[in-house]
Amino acid sequence: MSRSYILALLSALTRTAAETYNIPSNPTVSGEPFDSFVSYSIEFSSFPDFAGNHSHPNKYSYNLINNIHAISNNYPVIRVGGNTQDFALYNASQSTSLVGVVDPDKSPDYPTTITIGKSYFESYRTWPGVRFSHGFNMGLGGKTARGRETLVDTAPLACEALRHGNFYTWEYSNEPDLFTSGTYAPRLKGWNETDMVAEWLAGTDEIRNQVKKQCPEIQVSFIAPSNAGVSNALKASKMWAAGLNKRGDIAMFSTHNYIDGAKVPGVTLQGTLMNHTRTKLSVNNHVAEYNSIFHAAGSPPPLIFGETNSLYNQGRPGLSNTFGAALWCVDFNMYSAAVGFKRVHMHQGTNYRYQAWQPVATDLAAIGTKAPYYASITAAHMTRRAAHAPVSISHVALSSDAAESAYAAHCASRSGEKHLARLMVVNMHGYNTTVGGAGLEPLPSPPPRTVRKYKFRVEGVRDGVRASVQRLMANGSDAITGITYDGWSYNYDLDEGRGVRLTNVTVGEKIVVERGEVVVHVADSSAVILSFANGC
């Protein structure tokens, strides 16, 4: 975005009095996310596309992952799984990593008949520094002879690939609460939580036995079975009551979330995604479920989103691939961090509409960085932490927060004293510059863009401190290109996904703390981080 355009935006500001919001030096309610808070879930059938193999690693994907590391001081953690993990069968004689057949009646977006070969596991060795979870097939593994053989045959291959400092945890099953519904349900009606737990324990016992034989140095731990939602037929609470963790080896309580469906009538960018109230309600449902299960537990497993994104059924063009969806993603990640989620794995797959990047060129999509990736960059900056200074994220309630939100990041010193490190505003008021808001044909005369004024009282920050300003910007909420964070572009065409600082974007802004307050102006459909030099 050009310097002249930024100045025009600021000149359009209606200078009305702004309410002052208080940022306490030690928030009473906040979440402390893990390192690698910004992480990804990659569809099982798409993983070879994203990671490549030993002879042809996907360097573009790794460049994007390294960008996250450079900003947050940590690599994303990658969960390999999704619907297709429960279709994958092993073929020892297959030379290619994966052979998949798409049945459009089941899904046009991913194969539902899948075989993998030994070379599939090479993909785990292409991204140095990155840790992975591997998803095993419970849909067929707990039901068919070939599925059980696949579990026995692939557990040693998976642990061999993940014994080099790149192991995160194991996962057995994807969304078992949907196993009795849909056109390809792997279980009959009446299959309940007790049945599910019996199958899960038998399968995880087999994984444990195989891993101990092949990789005895790996401590066997599991992500809890990740349900698709809190209102489906099978309930997580009943799974735990039926003895899900009787072996004491569940390391993470994982749940999945999509705000709405890509094919649901009435879904809109402003009303569904760029809607802070909707996001809060959706996330809070998962927190309530978690608290109801572990309200009396002394040390419950950490809460994570093992898979999440904007709209299920792989997203909708004109919504999930827009800059507005990136703003939603920033807000979703920050609110999740503030209410106790330790890590968020944003899901993606080849040709998916909500993906952060397209890893390879196909007949459906060109290789390239998508708008949601810039949300990952922004969230990584907000949650960055130094080794000695954990970061806590708190939600700052605004007076009218349906389309706007604010967050504070505090870091703790060695003495335990907290300092305000960063302050974020996400302005999700829509601003469109293309015909029909489709992100393609530009309007001949875009409307004026409102700039809103936000004032914060920053306790513990002395007067005269200059906060650095980093802006997440695009031409509008409907934009699908031309997106920058603090002037940086991560386009594939510029330097294969490495950050390139653009010369036509205003950077280097500073805001001075005066009388204990900071004032920042934020254009509609944009976000900003104010960074204070306070330790992380």
Side-chain angles (χ1 to χ4, degrees):
M1 182 166 292
S2 68
R3 181 182 300 272
S4 61
Y5 193 60
I6 289 285
L7 294 175
L9 287 177
L10 293 177
S11 68
L13 176 67
T14 302
R15 297 187 178 278
T16 57
E19 183 174 348
T20 302
Y21 301 103
N22 190 54
I23 310 298
S25 57
N26 189 10
T28 56
V29 179
S30 62
E32 189 173 295
F34 286 152
D35 56 3
S36 303
F37 173 78
V38 174
S39 290
Y40 294 109
S41 166
I42 297 178
E43 189 65 49
F44 191 93
S45 61
S46 299
F47 183 47
D49 287 341
F50 277 83
N53 58 28
H54 180 71
S55 59
H56 294 88
N58 192 316
K59 296 179 180 178
Y60 166 54
S61 289
Y62 194 47
N63 288 341
L64 295 177
I65 287 170
N66 273 315
N67 296 335
I68 303 293
H69 176 267
I71 289 172
S72 69
N73 296 324
N74 291 283
Y75 286 103
V77 171
I78 307 297
R79 173 251 188 179
V80 179
N83 285 344
T84 55
Q85 81 182 63
D86 279 317
F87 301 130
L89 295 171
Y90 181 62
N91 182 351
S93 63
Q94 180 175 304
S95 59
T96 55
S97 62
L98 185 142
V99 175
V101 179
V102 174
D103 181 347
D105 292 335
K106 293 183 177 180
S107 173
D109 293 315
Y110 51 74
T112 51
T113 301
I114 298 171
T115 56
I116 60 172
K118 184 177 181 180
S119 61
Y120 181 92
F121 298 92
E122 290 183 13
S123 297
Y124 285 115
R125 302 294 304 278
T126 62
W127 294 343
V130 176
R131 293 180 295 145
F132 299 89
S133 69
H134 174 79
F136 291 103
N137 181 343
M138 180 178 173
L140 298 175
K143 176 182 177 184
T144 69
R146 193 173 176 199
R148 288 189 287 272
E149 289 171 6
T150 290
L151 187 63
V152 171
D153 291 342
T154 60
L157 297 174
C159 81
E160 175 60 34
L162 294 173
R163 70 189 310 176
H164 308 279
N166 55 343
F167 172 71
Y168 172 39
T169 187
W170 305 113
E171 184 176 33
Y172 184 54
S173 85
N174 175 76
E175 300 179 352
D177 57 327
L178 299 182
F179 272 21
T180 61
S181 61
T183 57
Y184 48 93
R187 299 293 182 275
L188 297 175
K189 297 290 186 183
W191 188 75
N192 60 27
E193 290 88 352
T194 301
D195 300 324
M196 180 270 159
V197 168
E199 282 191 27
W200 193 83
L201 290 172
T204 55
D205 283 347
E206 184 61 50
I207 295 168
R208 183 182 301 102
N209 292 337
Q210 294 297 328
V211 170
K212 284 185 176 180
K213 280 192 260 182
Q214 182 71 20
C215 313
E217 77 281 8
I218 290 182
Q219 181 177 0
V220 180
S221 63
F222 295 91
I223 297 174
S226 301
N227 284 349
V230 298
S231 58
N232 292 320
L234 271 66
K235 305 296 184 185
S237 58
K238 293 183 179 180
M239 294 177 188
W240 284 80
L244 186 71
N245 196 28
K246 67 185 299 182
R247 309 283 191 259
D249 53 10
I250 292 180
M252 304 282 171
F253 181 91
S254 173
T255 187
H256 293 181
N257 185 83
Y258 291 86
I259 295 296
D260 215 316
K263 300 176 183 178
V264 175
V267 170
T268 65
L269 195 57
Q270 184 72 80
T272 307
L273 296 181
M274 296 169 60
N275 185 325
H276 181 59
T277 302
R278 185 81 180 268
T279 293
K280 286 195 299 182
L281 289 172
S282 185
V283 174
N284 286 345
N285 284 337
H286 294 275
V287 175
E289 176 191 54
Y290 176 79
N291 289 339
S292 71
I293 296 171
F294 301 110
H295 65 279
S299 54
L303 174 64
I304 66 169
F305 275 124
E307 176 187 318
T308 185
N309 216 303
S310 56
L311 303 175
Y312 61 82
N313 294 132
Q314 293 73 59
R316 185 193 296 180
L319 294 179
S320 302
N321 62 338
T322 66
F323 183 61
L327 294 173
W328 163 81
C329 186
V330 171
D331 186 45
F332 180 89
N333 273 263
M334 291 303 97
Y335 187 75
S336 297
V339 297
F341 279 85
K342 299 297 188 180
R343 184 170 285 134
V344 173
H345 295 262
M346 301 303 299
H347 194 55
Q348 53 184 335
T350 307
N351 300 329
Y352 287 10
R353 275 73 65 187
Y354 53 50
Q355 65 190 158
W357 70 91
Q358 170 74 4
V360 294
T362 70
D363 57 352
L364 296 176
I367 187 172
T369 311
K370 309 300 182 181
Y373 177 75
Y374 290 83
S376 295
I377 290 288
T378 307
H381 183 189
M382 189 64 177
T383 58
R384 67 171 287 143
R385 53 186 289 182
H388 63 279
V391 66
S392 61
I393 303 295
S394 58
H395 176 235
V396 181
L398 304 181
S399 57
S400 177
D401 67 356
E404 53 192 12
S405 59
Y407 301 92
H410 286 78
C411 289
S413 65
R414 293 183 184 277
S415 64
E417 184 179 1
K418 289 189 175 181
H419 304 279
L420 179 63
R422 288 172 292 279
L423 181 60
M424 170 187 279
V425 177
V426 188
N427 180 344
M428 291 174 284
H429 293 274
Y431 177 73
N432 294 334
T433 60
T434 60
V435 176
L440 299 174
E441 182 183 351
L443 290 169
S445 299
R449 190 170 187 174
T450 300
V451 178
R452 301 175 194 268
K453 179 180 179 181
Y454 299 87
K455 183 190 294 185
F456 299 93
R457 182 176 297 108
V458 286
E459 293 181 4
V461 182
R462 69 180 186 279
D463 285 354
V465 167
R466 292 161 61 86
S468 299
V469 181
Q470 291 87 27
R471 295 185 183 272
L472 176 63
M473 297 293 295
N475 284 337
S477 54
D478 51 353
I480 57 176
T481 60
I483 301 159
T484 59
Y485 177 70
D486 194 31
W488 292 93
S489 172
Y490 301 94
N491 279 359
Y492 174 79
D493 295 338
L494 293 181
D495 191 11
E496 205 173 353
R498 301 177 187 88
V500 174
R501 200 71 173 271
L502 303 186
T503 58
N504 63 341
V505 179
T506 299
V507 296
E509 297 175 71
K510 301 285 185 180
I511 293 178
V512 179
V513 177
E514 297 180 341
R515 296 184 295 278
E517 296 178 346
V518 291
V519 176
V520 61
H521 301 107
V522 186
D524 280 356
S525 296
S526 72
V528 65
I529 291 178
L530 305 184
S531 297
F532 304 87
N534 271 334
C536 70

